Amino acid sequence: MAGLAASGSNPDVDLLYDINGLAKDAPGWFDRVMANVGEYGLLIAMVLLVLWCWWSVRRRGGEDAASSVAALVWAPLAAGIAVLVNVPIRGFVERPRPFLDHQGLDVLVSGKTDFSFVSDHATITMAMGVGLFVANRRFGLFGLGLALLEGFCRVYMGVHYPTDVIGGFALGTAVTLLLSPVASALLTPVTKAIERSPRAGWLIRSRKESSYGGQDAVLPGARESADAAERDLAA
């Protein structure tokens, strides 16, 4: 793959120059913003989105709260596993960073000395985005949008080829979906056990929801009916 990327007629390289060329025409402050967003900002935004989804799920409660939280827990775990899977892939492909083989690129971040294929940033964000989509469609759409934006930023910054990003998207999606049934089978019993815990149950559903929707809920008037029944028996 590295050999193909070295060809100037390769669409992968042409698209790299087209997208990275936008950085040459942009003002310096905008490039600095894009560099920080692409390197750190979108990863932080993805984590915050997962936390926001968790907060929404636990407030809503319901019978599927434990399974939904289990799916949310799987999202960052899938991202971590996908990055580990990428380690041997990078070592096998050994594709240099694009700025090492091609002149004239506007590289917005320095210190990138590892191999290029596949992009860790694209892998992480897509794995979390797909995991979030499995847990909650509405939040998942936002997550997938952040992942796509991350992929664009990595090429814009001049640190990855477009196919590095596509490979990261494919890897993150594959790991998340293929291992999702196993993860659900292992994580859901754990979240259900936490849900039943008097101290940690709030991690799965809010205390307010539990007090009205749980097994200990008392219907209006039930207490008075019980008292009346006790008085009749005493009489």
Side-chain angles (χ1 to χ4, degrees), residues 5 10 12 33 51 53 64 80 90 112 145 184 200 205 207-208:
N10 188 337
D12 195 20
V33 170
L51 291 176
C53 185
D64 62 341
R90 281 193 166 192
K112 298 294 181 180
S184 178
R205 64 173 73 214
R207 296 183 185 278
K208 179 179 179 181

Side-chain angles (χ1 to χ4, degrees), residues 66-80:
S67 60
S68 296
V69 172
L72 287 174
V73 173
W74 169 236
L77 291 178

Side-chain angles (χ1 to χ4, degrees), residues 79 82-83 86 118-128 167-169 171-172:
V83 170
N86 189 30
V118 297
S119 167
D120 277 339
H121 282 73
T123 300
I124 292 171
T125 52
M126 184 55 73
M128 294 186 69
F169 288 165
L171 177 60

